[in-house]
Amino acid sequence: MTYNNYIKKTKRNKRIILFSQLFILITLIFLWQYLASNNYINSFITSSPKNIIITLINLYKQNNLFIHIFITLKETIIAFLITSIFSIIISVILYSHKLLYKIIEPFLVLLNSLPKVALGPIIIIWLGANQKSIIMISILISIIISIETIYNAFENTDKLKIKLLKTFNASKKDILYYLIIPSNKKTIFSSLKINISMCLIGVITGEFLTSKAGIGYLILYGSQVFNLNLVMSGIFLLMIISFTLYKLVNLIIKNSSK
Amino acid sequence: MNLTNELISINELNKSYYSINNETKTLSNISFKLYKNDFLGIIGPSGCGKSTILNILSGLISDYSGKINKKKDLKIGYMLQEDALFPWLTIYENTILGLKINKKLDTNSKKYVLNLLKKYNLFEFKDKYPYELSGGMKQRVALIRTLALKPDILLLDEPFSALDAQTRLSVSDDIYNIIKNENKTIILVTHNIEEAISMCNRIIILTKRPSTIKNIYNIELDNNIKPTEKRKLNNFNYYYDLIWRQIDK
């Protein structure tokens, strides 16, 4: 009986949490709409839920909605794949060549502390005002921190286990394959989760600097023509995109670690 | 003990560790021989360089001075202070790790490992993960992982130090039994005097750093009984007293 009670209690708690969350969300939306429609707040600068829906429908009717979403998604996923693959490869190279790491460490620190968006104008001049630049900015924003995270995890691998493999005459490659990579799978996966968020940040930053389409473009364009409905719609879309991407990466990780 | 039984002879072994600021001489003129079926103990104060000797013998450290003659094709296995089992591998996968790395995993070696697991009551746990086993069982798995490569000599570096006092006694019985069964030659490094007396037939006492050999004792206790039983023998206390007085405090 007590076990059943425990199960019941846990389930009830779960329901309470979910309902409370939904309640807060819905209340906020209605409050926002209520304040806007009764002119308590100026909907010209705050927009309103209703206006956001109308804007989205209009975008859809003009056949633009999915183009913008698709462009931002594409840029983010390309940046994510490049960042993730290269940060793992570079970490492996640096881990196997300690001297190389020691040599480039100060440069990495420098690059890491530099606000990467400052490099935006240079990249645009070098690569042109196109998607290449946006993807490059996104990679720059996310890759250094990803390398640092993975490399540090590699460095902190249990020394005793390394010694164990050495007693088996394991080569550097063996140690990487049998120990370093599998024992740091968790860190690699969690850095993937961070990468997807960082890459989206990078893509929006890039789109703010130079773009002809995408969610970042919508937001920037909206603010330039003082169309707050468009700005809010863009932010709303961005929330959905980032949430979906995060969940998607999570799902892939869960399936691959089974 | 005739010459053909000599597996390793160490002559005038010296080892220093270096850092930017100084040189720490760890081993100084260490010489001894290891014979087949020896159970040799090395004890001394902590930090005296006991483990360094094992690291040199196993080839993990190669910059030392002195001469080490090993019998041709001598295979050396090393058992570390902790079990160092890989948590993401099953017990069986852990035990074949050394075989895999040495590319010696075939039907014969698999059979050999499974047999060891059976013999030492771990077979039913072979598909479980390390966290599901007790500390003593994990230590047995670690030993089987070392035995899988069929070493002639086993180096044991404080193999029970991570275990609690109770487990430590029963595990040393277990491990002793396995080692005797498998007919291995052993070097055991420990700072525990009782452990050394109850398991070894010869004990080298090292001084403080830089370590030299202070004395070598032959332990003549009945080798056919378990270490925990040996502790009850009358001579045990005699040896304990003898060795305890010799160790630098």
Side-chain angles (χ1 to χ4, degrees):
Chain A
M1 274 321 261
T2 43
Y3 176 68
N4 281 341
N5 281 344
Y6 168 78
I7 297 290
K8 260 188 201 160
K9 210 177 151 191
T10 319
K11 277 190 178 160
R12 206 184 57 210
N13 271 346
K14 251 187 174 172
R15 251 176 301 167
I16 289 174
I17 290 169
L18 185 69
F19 278 123
S20 309
Q21 288 166 336
L22 284 174
F23 178 75
I24 291 171
L25 186 69
I26 291 166
T27 313
L28 282 175
I29 291 172
F30 273 93
L31 187 69
W32 185 6
Q33 184 60 49
Y34 172 78
L35 293 173
S37 14
N38 290 299
N39 285 326
Y40 292 121
I41 52 174
N42 184 354
S43 66
F44 182 66
I45 58 169
T46 62
S47 185
S48 72
K50 202 173 124 196
N51 287 347
I52 291 174
I53 293 169
I54 292 168
T55 312
L56 288 175
I57 291 171
N58 283 339
L59 275 173
Y60 177 72
K61 277 184 185 156
Q62 292 158 10
N63 259 335
N64 280 336
L65 182 62
F66 287 107
I67 291 174
H68 291 297
I69 292 175
F70 176 74
I71 283 172
T72 298
L73 267 180
K74 188 181 133 193
E75 289 162 350
T76 308
I77 288 169
I78 292 174
F80 168 75
L81 289 177
I82 295 176
T83 299
S84 300
I85 292 168
F86 275 84
S87 60
I88 293 171
I89 292 174
I90 293 170
S91 300
V92 166
I93 293 172
L94 292 180
Y95 179 79
S96 355
H97 300 85
K98 295 275 153 63
L99 197 63
L100 180 68
Y101 177 76
K102 288 216 167 111
I103 292 168
I104 71 161
E105 194 192 1
F107 300 103
L108 279 178
V109 172
L110 196 72
L111 216 55
N112 194 24
S113 52
L114 180 78
K116 261 71 68 180
V117 63
L119 299 174
I122 302 175
I123 289 162
I124 291 165
I125 289 166
W126 286 353
L127 298 180
N130 50 38
Q131 284 193 320
K132 264 191 255 166
S133 289
I134 295 170
I135 291 168
M136 193 58 174
I137 291 166
S138 176
I139 292 169
L140 274 178
I141 284 178
S142 51
I143 198 165
I144 309 285
I145 191 82
S146 181
I147 292 171
E148 287 274 342
T149 311
I150 297 173
Y151 176 83
N152 281 330
F154 283 2
E155 266 302 296
N156 288 322
T157 308
D158 187 359
K159 298 279 177 295
L160 196 74
K161 292 197 174 84
I162 296 177
K163 184 176 175 183
L164 173 81
L165 291 189
K166 282 185 179 161
T167 69
F168 292 141
N169 287 319
S171 64
K172 265 187 182 178
K173 234 204 249 158
D174 290 331
I175 293 174
L176 267 169
Y177 177 76
Y178 286 105
L179 176 62
I180 306 292
I181 306 273
S183 74
N184 291 301
K185 222 162 121 184
K186 262 194 184 151
T187 312
I188 293 173
F189 282 157
S190 67
S191 88
L192 293 187
K193 285 192 235 171
I194 297 169
N195 284 351
I196 193 72
S197 307
M198 292 296 282
C199 284
L200 188 59
I201 294 173
V203 163
I204 299 303
T205 310
E207 285 181 351
F208 277 1
L209 291 174
T210 173
S211 62
K212 295 179 191 76
I215 307 295
Y217 167 82
L218 278 188
I219 294 172
L220 191 71
Y221 176 76
S223 76
Q224 278 165 355
V225 297
F226 236 83
N227 180 351
L228 266 296
N229 293 333
L230 195 56
V231 175
M232 289 296 191
S233 303
I235 292 170
F236 173 73
L237 287 176
L238 209 50
M239 277 160 70
I240 292 174
I241 289 174
S242 78
F243 185 76
T244 314
L245 284 175
Y246 183 81
K247 286 283 166 193
L248 204 69
V249 171
N250 234 347
L251 198 75
I252 293 168
I253 289 170
K254 260 191 192 153
N255 280 328
S256 65
S257 48
K258 257 176 203 167
Chain B
M1 286 175 194
N2 57 44
L3 272 174
T4 49
N5 271 336
E6 186 182 305
L7 298 182
I8 299 181
S9 108
I10 296 169
N11 277 308
E12 305 279 303
L13 182 63
N14 286 281
K15 166 74 189 164
S16 292
Y17 286 105
Y18 304 105
S19 69
I20 296 289
N21 298 320
N22 57 4
E23 172 187 350
T24 313
K25 193 155 174 48
T26 309
L27 300 177
S28 168
N29 295 325
I30 303 285
S31 305
F32 64 87
K33 287 179 164 54
L34 184 73
Y35 301 98
K36 193 160 175 22
N37 292 332
D38 243 353
F39 204 128
L40 177 69
I42 299 178
I43 60 179
S46 50
C48 75
K50 300 178 294 257
S51 303
T52 304
I53 297 178
L54 298 191
N55 290 341
I56 289 173
L57 286 179
S58 65
L60 292 178
I61 293 177
S62 51
D63 57 327
Y64 56 85
S65 71
K67 251 197 139 165
I68 297 177
N69 289 316
K70 290 182 196 167
K71 202 176 167 186
K72 223 180 136 212
D73 298 325
L74 192 69
K75 280 189 285 182
I76 297 179
Y78 201 145
M79 192 169 157
L80 306 168
Q81 279 169 351
E82 284 164 42
D83 55 67
L85 296 178
F86 290 7
W88 58 90
L89 297 179
T90 64
I91 296 307
Y92 174 66
E93 286 166 341
N94 264 293
T95 52
I96 58 169
L97 190 63
L99 291 168
K100 256 182 167 171
I101 290 170
N102 282 287
K103 308 211 163 47
K104 281 182 183 159
L105 191 64
D106 51 34
T107 35
N108 271 334
S109 61
K110 273 183 200 166
K111 227 191 236 164
Y112 180 66
V113 170
L114 287 173
N115 252 326
L116 285 174
L117 287 170
K118 254 178 226 160
K119 220 152 118 194
Y120 302 114
N121 303 321
L122 287 162
F123 189 74
E124 53 190 305
F125 298 97
K126 75 176 175 41
D127 297 318
K128 298 218 180 293
Y129 286 88
Y131 74 92
E132 296 171 280
L133 270 62
S134 69
M137 289 163 97
K138 283 192 252 187
Q139 212 57 21
R140 264 186 285 156
V141 175
L143 179 62
I144 291 174
R145 178 181 59 194
T146 313
L147 290 175
L149 287 160
K150 297 188 181 169
D152 308 297
I153 297 176
L154 266 177
L155 310 176
L156 310 181
D157 185 5
E158 308 243 8
F160 315 118
S161 60
L163 303 171
D164 61 82
Q166 284 294 322
T167 324
R168 192 168 179 145
L169 285 176
S170 63
V171 173
S172 52
D173 271 358
D174 277 355
I175 302 279
Y176 185 81
N177 171 41
I178 297 173
I179 289 165
K180 285 284 160 196
N181 260 338
E182 307 297 325
N183 237 334
K184 300 292 179 193
T185 306
I186 305 294
I187 302 180
L188 169 74
V189 156
T190 178
H191 59 255
N192 188 318
I193 303 172
E194 289 122 318
E195 204 166 88
I197 299 172
S198 66
M199 295 180 90
C200 304
N201 61 9
R202 213 148 51 96
I203 295 179
I204 293 177
I205 300 170
L206 295 180
T207 63
K208 268 193 296 208
R209 215 167 48 208
S211 295
T212 54
I213 293 182
K214 196 168 204 174
N215 237 321
I216 301 183
Y217 289 106
N218 285 316
I219 306 293
E220 274 146 24
L221 295 173
D222 185 355
N223 274 329
N224 297 315
I225 58 174
K226 293 191 274 187
T228 43
E229 296 293 324
K230 284 199 211 174
R231 287 172 191 248
K232 295 176 193 155
L233 298 175
N234 286 331
N235 277 343
F236 186 86
N237 285 329
Y238 160 75
Y239 285 120
Y240 185 87
D241 204 50
L242 190 70
I243 290 169
W244 180 76
R245 282 171 200 287
Q246 299 267 333
I247 292 185
D248 293 341
K249 302 301 181 311

